[in-house]
Amino acid sequence: MSHTLLIVEDDDQIAAPLIRTLEREEHLVERVATGTEALERLAVGGVDLVLLDLGLPDLDGLEVCRRARADGFEGGIMILTARGGELDRVVGLDVGADDYLAKPFALAELLARVRALLRRSARPGPEVAPAPPVSSPTDGVRVDRDTRRAWVGDSELTLTVKEFDVLALVEAAGGSVVTREHVMDEVWDENWFGSTKTLDTTIGRLRQKLEDADAPGRVVTVRGVGFRWEIDAADA
């Protein structure tokens, strides 16, 4: 299946081999050189995955990522940057990125991560009727794994690829503990080579979105083990 990928990179010598490599995988690849152009293209729609450089000439890539998520972009975002520090990595994930690859990187590793993100960010087809709930309606949160949508009551949550995957995995366990290792294996898979702090960052964003939506269920940390889905006593 062909996907549309947007490369946001101002350096022609870096962008050119990326375009060739991804086009050989039969993806439709578009390239822009500034953050402003990237946000304008994302507003049009139809992009499955963004490969985003941080050192852009007009906007910092982290700001582009933050604005893209604030504007409702739900596809995958992979940051490609020469900044390899732990702080940059955590900040990037905190503003909504799904993955982070430090330059220089092997093209084989890039492709593996692209494939992993695309498997999880496939857009559903046009909706002809409201998606039926999959989760038990008694907890006030519905998760439809087929269409990759989630609701609190009648309000749909806007989640990134990883946020949805974590919610679906933990909520489906029905109160049983899901270990950190299992979440990393299922959501980031064997192609993830970064810090597990990305999991904590994703959990933090997910918790905030559930809290903002007044969800009766929440993701609770079981210290030293993992996470479980818990329903507030007042709503049980």
Side-chain angles (χ1 to χ4, degrees), residues 109-133:
E109 180 180 355
L110 171 73
L111 287 176
R113 294 194 184 198
V114 165
R115 293 186 193 110
L117 278 177
L118 288 174
R119 284 198 300 269
R120 292 176 163 84
S121 62
R123 298 191 307 271
E127 293 292 331
V128 296

Side-chain angles (χ1 to χ4, degrees), residues 199-222:
L199 171 57
D200 299 310
T201 301
T202 302
I203 289 285
R205 293 199 312 264
L206 176 59
R207 283 174 174 155
Q208 188 61 56
K209 291 182 179 182
L210 290 169
E211 181 179 332
D212 291 345
D214 294 324
R218 57 196 177 115
V219 179
V220 175
T221 297
V222 180

Side-chain angles (χ1 to χ4, degrees), residues 77-169:
I77 297 179
M78 180 188 297
I79 289 178
L80 307 177
T81 180
R83 305 179 196 173
E86 185 71 20
L87 178 60
D88 281 322
R89 183 188 301 271
V90 172
V91 171
L93 296 167
D94 194 42
V95 296
D98 297 295
D99 204 348
Y100 192 114
L101 193 56
K103 301 174 184 176
F105 50 80
L107 289 176
E109 180 180 355
L110 171 73
L111 287 176
R113 294 194 184 198
V114 165
R115 293 186 193 110
L117 278 177
L118 288 174
R119 284 198 300 269
R120 292 176 163 84
S121 62
R123 298 191 307 271
E127 293 292 331
V128 296
V134 174
S135 311
S136 167
T138 59
D139 65 8
V141 178
R142 296 177 291 155
V143 179
D144 190 320
R145 292 156 188 82
D146 291 333
T147 61
R148 299 184 60 81
R149 300 170 68 189
W151 298 262
V152 173
D154 295 326
S155 300
E156 185 169 356
L157 294 170
T158 299
L159 302 175
T160 67
V161 174
K162 301 299 190 191
E163 290 164 3
F164 178 87
D165 288 335
V166 171
L167 174 62
L169 184 64

